[in-house]
Amino acid sequence: MKNLVFINGTMGVGKTATSKELQKMLPNCVFLDGDWCWDMSPFIVTDETKKIVIDNISYILNNFISCSEYKNIIFCWVMHEQSILDDVLSRLNKHNCILYKFSLVCSEQSLIARITKDIKQKIRNKDVIERSVPRLKNYFEMDTQKIDVSNISAKETAEIIYTRVIG
């Protein structure tokens, strides 16, 4: 059996940093960040581009699942609605996988502080705060295990996930 670990959360909450830390801990591990399948300039959100992104994510994850070398597969992406998470999962050949679904959540103050730090480092634009904060509440309602990252690092978050997956 393989471990299929989904990590979602609003922009700036620490999904990528946590996933990279978790990848170091899990043996025979591969990591896909959904943003890598959505990296375009200019950034255009249409039904057509959304379909391409979901198709690409599903294709890559299914390839990872079918590869005998990988025992742990990490996927992170915003997935701010349950329907997006369900759509991706419905396309996967997960019969030989144990599925773990985590939502990284935090206080609004913590989120703004994290994004502000990223803005200062020129990793994000200021408009991310306006888009990210309103979506935060969505993750509390999803069919996932919640991890409050308000006062912990990406490494500490990864350790929590590791314990729940391996533990």
Side-chain angles (χ1 to χ4, degrees):
M1 293 295 280
K2 296 175 183 248
N3 293 314
L4 180 59
V5 180
F6 272 46
I7 301 172
N8 72 356
T10 196
M11 294 169 284
V13 78
K15 297 175 301 298
T16 300
T18 296
S19 296
K20 287 180 179 180
E21 290 293 337
L22 183 60
Q23 185 182 27
K24 295 174 193 174
M25 298 174 190
L26 291 171
N28 302 87
C29 188
V30 64
F31 164 48
L32 174 65
D33 188 325
D35 287 348
W36 300 337
C37 299
W38 191 249
D39 190 358
M40 64 182 100
S41 181
F43 187 73
I44 301 169
V45 180
T46 64
D47 287 341
E48 181 182 20
T49 59
K50 288 183 207 175
K51 180 185 179 314
I52 289 170
V53 170
I54 297 290
D55 287 349
N56 287 343
I57 288 168
S58 303
Y59 180 82
I60 292 169
L61 288 175
N62 276 321
N63 276 340
F64 290 157
I65 290 168
S66 68
C67 180
S68 65
E69 295 297 326
Y70 304 125
K71 303 300 178 212
N72 293 286
I73 301 158
I74 303 167
F75 172 61
C76 80
W77 200 30
V78 171
M79 295 181 283
H80 64 288
E81 296 172 354
Q82 185 69 45
S83 61
I84 299 168
L85 180 67
D86 293 342
D87 186 16
V88 173
L89 286 170
S90 73
R91 298 164 183 250
L92 301 183
N93 302 321
K94 55 191 180 300
H95 55 276
N96 288 326
C97 297
I98 301 170
L99 176 62
Y100 298 90
K101 300 177 290 183
F102 299 97
S103 290
L104 305 187
V105 297
C106 65
S107 68
E108 186 174 319
Q109 298 82 355
S110 175
L111 181 62
I112 292 170
R114 288 169 183 255
I115 296 172
T116 301
K117 181 180 171 188
D118 288 350
I119 291 168
K120 288 178 182 174
Q121 294 176 346
K122 303 204 183 301
I123 297 171
R124 296 185 192 279
N125 295 324
K126 192 171 184 172
D127 69 322
V128 171
I129 293 173
E130 299 164 6
R131 292 184 288 129
S132 184
V133 171
R135 289 182 175 176
L136 187 58
K137 67 184 182 310
N138 295 14
Y139 299 95
F140 290 96
E141 301 167 8
M142 297 183 80
D143 178 25
T144 57
Q145 296 181 55
K146 313 311 181 269
I147 301 174
D148 187 339
V149 300
S150 297
N151 299 306
I152 61 175
S153 67
K155 185 173 183 179
E156 291 168 312
T157 306
E159 289 168 351
I160 291 168
I161 295 171
Y162 177 87
T163 300
R164 293 186 188 177
V165 171
I166 299 300

mmCIF file of all heavy atoms in Angstrom, residues 1 8-9 12 29 34 37 53 57 69 81 89 98 100 112 116 119 125 131 150 153 164:
data_model
loop_
_atom_site.group_PDB
_atom_site.id
_atom_site.type_symbol
_atom_site.label_atom_id
_atom_site.label_comp_id
_atom_site.label_asym_id
_atom_site.label_seq_id
_atom_site.Cartn_x
_atom_site.Cartn_y
_atom_site.Cartn_z
ATOM 1 N N MET A 1 0.834 -1.199 0.000
ATOM 2 C CA MET A 1 0.000 0.000 0.000
ATOM 3 C C MET A 1 0.869 1.250 0.000
ATOM 4 O O MET A 1 1.927 1.283 0.615
ATOM 5 C CB MET A 1 -0.899 0.016 1.237
ATOM 6 C CG MET A 1 -1.961 -1.069 1.282
ATOM 7 S SD MET A 1 -3.199 -0.934 -0.002
ATOM 8 C CE MET A 1 -4.247 0.309 0.652
ATOM 9 N N ASN A 8 -4.133 20.713 1.829
ATOM 10 C CA ASN A 8 -4.685 21.933 1.260
ATOM 11 C C ASN A 8 -4.702 23.034 2.300
ATOM 12 O O ASN A 8 -4.377 22.821 3.465
ATOM 13 C CB ASN A 8 -6.070 21.691 0.637
ATOM 14 C CG ASN A 8 -7.167 21.467 1.650
ATOM 15 O OD1 ASN A 8 -6.946 21.411 2.850
ATOM 16 N ND2 ASN A 8 -8.386 21.325 1.176
ATOM 17 N N GLY A 9 -5.041 24.214 1.852
ATOM 18 C CA GLY A 9 -5.095 25.377 2.719
ATOM 19 C C GLY A 9 -5.044 26.623 1.869
ATOM 20 O O GLY A 9 -4.673 26.564 0.690
ATOM 21 N N GLY A 12 -0.615 31.080 1.282
ATOM 22 C CA GLY A 12 0.243 31.640 2.315
ATOM 23 C C GLY A 12 0.249 30.912 3.638
ATOM 24 O O GLY A 12 0.996 31.277 4.539
ATOM 25 N N CYS A 29 9.621 8.940 -1.442
ATOM 26 C CA CYS A 29 8.573 9.949 -1.486
ATOM 27 C C CYS A 29 8.702 10.848 -2.711
ATOM 28 O O CYS A 29 9.802 11.232 -3.108
ATOM 29 C CB CYS A 29 8.664 10.792 -0.213
ATOM 30 S SG CYS A 29 7.303 11.935 -0.026
ATOM 31 N N GLY A 34 0.381 21.486 -6.752
ATOM 32 C CA GLY A 34 -0.578 21.795 -7.807
ATOM 33 C C GLY A 34 -0.277 23.094 -8.526
ATOM 34 O O GLY A 34 -0.593 23.245 -9.710
ATOM 35 N N CYS A 37 1.421 23.014 -11.889
ATOM 36 C CA CYS A 37 0.587 22.697 -13.054
ATOM 37 C C CYS A 37 -0.262 23.902 -13.461
ATOM 38 O O CYS A 37 -1.093 23.798 -14.366
ATOM 39 C CB CYS A 37 -0.328 21.505 -12.741
ATOM 40 S SG CYS A 37 0.559 20.000 -12.340
ATOM 41 N N VAL A 53 -5.558 22.159 -15.878
ATOM 42 C CA VAL A 53 -4.831 21.997 -14.614
ATOM 43 C C VAL A 53 -5.258 20.715 -13.903
ATOM 44 O O VAL A 53 -4.408 19.924 -13.472
ATOM 45 C CB VAL A 53 -5.037 23.232 -13.710
ATOM 46 C CG1 VAL A 53 -4.501 22.982 -12.316
ATOM 47 C CG2 VAL A 53 -4.369 24.436 -14.318
ATOM 48 N N ILE A 57 -2.823 17.534 -13.179
ATOM 49 C CA ILE A 57 -2.616 17.047 -11.812
ATOM 50 C C ILE A 57 -2.980 15.567 -11.720
ATOM 51 O O ILE A 57 -2.222 14.760 -11.178
ATOM 52 C CB ILE A 57 -3.434 17.888 -10.803
ATOM 53 C CG1 ILE A 57 -2.802 19.277 -10.643
ATOM 54 C CG2 ILE A 57 -3.560 17.172 -9.454
ATOM 55 C CD1 ILE A 57 -3.668 20.281 -9.899
ATOM 56 N N GLU A 69 8.382 2.550 -7.442
ATOM 57 C CA GLU A 69 9.438 3.163 -6.628
ATOM 58 C C GLU A 69 8.891 4.068 -5.526
ATOM 59 O O GLU A 69 9.545 4.264 -4.514
ATOM 60 C CB GLU A 69 10.386 3.981 -7.509
ATOM 61 C CG GLU A 69 11.172 3.149 -8.504
ATOM 62 C CD GLU A 69 12.101 2.139 -7.853
ATOM 63 O OE1 GLU A 69 12.655 2.424 -6.766
ATOM 64 O OE2 GLU A 69 12.283 1.054 -8.429
ATOM 65 N N GLU A 81 -12.423 24.506 -2.167
ATOM 66 C CA GLU A 81 -13.792 23.988 -2.122
ATOM 67 C C GLU A 81 -13.735 22.470 -2.102
ATOM 68 O O GLU A 81 -12.892 21.860 -2.782
ATOM 69 C CB GLU A 81 -14.580 24.457 -3.348
ATOM 70 C CG GLU A 81 -14.753 25.958 -3.411
ATOM 71 C CD GLU A 81 -15.371 26.423 -4.722
ATOM 72 O OE1 GLU A 81 -15.567 25.587 -5.633
ATOM 73 O OE2 GLU A 81 -15.634 27.629 -4.836
ATOM 74 N N LEU A 89 -9.727 13.694 -6.526
ATOM 75 C CA LEU A 89 -9.730 12.326 -5.993
ATOM 76 C C LEU A 89 -10.502 11.359 -6.882
ATOM 77 O O LEU A 89 -10.106 10.200 -7.030
ATOM 78 C CB LEU A 89 -10.309 12.311 -4.578
ATOM 79 C CG LEU A 89 -9.402 12.872 -3.498
ATOM 80 C CD1 LEU A 89 -10.156 13.036 -2.190
ATOM 81 C CD2 LEU A 89 -8.164 12.004 -3.324
ATOM 82 N N ILE A 98 -3.561 4.399 0.777
ATOM 83 C CA ILE A 98 -4.232 4.881 1.980
ATOM 84 C C ILE A 98 -4.245 6.401 1.843
ATOM 85 O O ILE A 98 -3.191 7.031 1.694
ATOM 86 C CB ILE A 98 -3.483 4.457 3.256
ATOM 87 C CG1 ILE A 98 -3.383 2.939 3.329
ATOM 88 C CG2 ILE A 98 -4.181 5.022 4.490
ATOM 89 C CD1 ILE A 98 -2.461 2.441 4.431
ATOM 90 N N TYR A 100 -4.810 10.233 2.983
ATOM 91 C CA TYR A 100 -4.781 11.156 4.112
ATOM 92 C C TYR A 100 -5.059 12.545 3.557
ATOM 93 O O TYR A 100 -4.403 12.981 2.617
ATOM 94 C CB TYR A 100 -3.409 11.149 4.798
ATOM 95 C CG TYR A 100 -3.039 9.811 5.369
ATOM 96 C CD1 TYR A 100 -2.341 8.874 4.605
ATOM 97 C CD2 TYR A 100 -3.381 9.475 6.677
ATOM 98 C CE1 TYR A 100 -2.003 7.633 5.120
ATOM 99 C CE2 TYR A 100 -3.031 8.228 7.208
ATOM 100 C CZ TYR A 100 -2.348 7.324 6.418
ATOM 101 O OH TYR A 100 -2.016 6.102 6.940
ATOM 102 N N ILE A 112 -2.144 36.729 7.873
ATOM 103 C CA ILE A 112 -1.703 38.038 7.382
ATOM 104 C C ILE A 112 -0.218 38.233 7.666
ATOM 105 O O ILE A 112 0.527 38.727 6.810
ATOM 106 C CB ILE A 112 -2.557 39.171 8.001
ATOM 107 C CG1 ILE A 112 -3.985 39.083 7.444
ATOM 108 C CG2 ILE A 112 -1.946 40.542 7.734
ATOM 109 C CD1 ILE A 112 -4.999 39.980 8.155
ATOM 110 N N THR A 116 2.455 38.756 4.751
ATOM 111 C CA THR A 116 3.228 40.003 4.799
ATOM 112 C C THR A 116 4.726 39.715 4.735
ATOM 113 O O THR A 116 5.482 40.408 4.046
ATOM 114 C CB THR A 116 2.870 40.808 6.072
ATOM 115 O OG1 THR A 116 1.466 41.096 6.034
ATOM 116 C CG2 THR A 116 3.662 42.093 6.156
ATOM 117 N N ILE A 119 5.506 38.937 1.220
ATOM 118 C CA ILE A 119 5.485 40.154 0.397
ATOM 119 C C ILE A 119 6.809 40.896 0.551
ATOM 120 O O ILE A 119 7.402 41.339 -0.439
ATOM 121 C CB ILE A 119 4.287 41.059 0.789
ATOM 122 C CG1 ILE A 119 2.971 40.391 0.384
ATOM 123 C CG2 ILE A 119 4.418 42.438 0.143
ATOM 124 C CD1 ILE A 119 1.730 41.043 0.978
ATOM 125 N N ASN A 125 2.561 38.894 -4.008
ATOM 126 C CA ASN A 125 2.070 40.256 -4.188
ATOM 127 C C ASN A 125 1.063 40.586 -3.083
ATOM 128 O O ASN A 125 0.430 39.689 -2.518
ATOM 129 C CB ASN A 125 1.394 40.406 -5.552
ATOM 130 C CG ASN A 125 2.370 40.231 -6.682
ATOM 131 O OD1 ASN A 125 3.527 40.630 -6.593
ATOM 132 N ND2 ASN A 125 1.912 39.614 -7.761
ATOM 133 N N ARG A 131 -7.281 37.990 -1.295
ATOM 134 C CA ARG A 131 -7.837 36.759 -1.856
ATOM 135 C C ARG A 131 -7.755 35.594 -0.876
ATOM 136 O O ARG A 131 -8.598 34.704 -0.888
ATOM 137 C CB ARG A 131 -7.116 36.396 -3.163
ATOM 138 C CG ARG A 131 -7.417 37.382 -4.286
ATOM 139 C CD ARG A 131 -6.796 36.981 -5.611
ATOM 140 N NE ARG A 131 -5.351 37.167 -5.588
ATOM 141 C CZ ARG A 131 -4.472 36.242 -5.940
ATOM 142 N NH1 ARG A 131 -4.863 35.057 -6.336
ATOM 143 N NH2 ARG A 131 -3.183 36.494 -5.887
ATOM 144 N N SER A 150 -1.052 28.136 13.236
ATOM 145 C CA SER A 150 -0.883 29.532 13.662
ATOM 146 C C SER A 150 0.435 29.781 14.376
ATOM 147 O O SER A 150 1.076 30.815 14.155
ATOM 148 C CB SER A 150 -2.032 29.945 14.595
ATOM 149 O OG SER A 150 -3.265 29.892 13.949
ATOM 150 N N SER A 153 5.928 25.888 13.057
ATOM 151 C CA SER A 153 6.696 26.006 11.819
ATOM 152 C C SER A 153 6.260 24.934 10.807
ATOM 153 O O SER A 153 5.544 23.982 11.155
ATOM 154 C CB SER A 153 8.186 25.820 12.113
ATOM 155 O OG SER A 153 8.426 24.472 12.525
ATOM 156 N N ARG A 164 0.865 11.103 11.908
ATOM 157 C CA ARG A 164 -0.469 10.597 11.549
ATOM 158 C C ARG A 164 -0.419 9.603 10.384
ATOM 159 O O ARG A 164 -1.250 8.713 10.306
ATOM 160 C CB ARG A 164 -1.395 11.760 11.226
ATOM 161 C CG ARG A 164 -1.689 12.611 12.458
ATOM 162 C CD ARG A 164 -2.705 13.684 12.190
ATOM 163 N NE ARG A 164 -2.802 14.587 13.332
ATOM 164 C CZ ARG A 164 -3.582 15.664 13.337
ATOM 165 N NH1 ARG A 164 -4.323 15.963 12.287
ATOM 166 N NH2 ARG A 164 -3.620 16.433 14.397
#
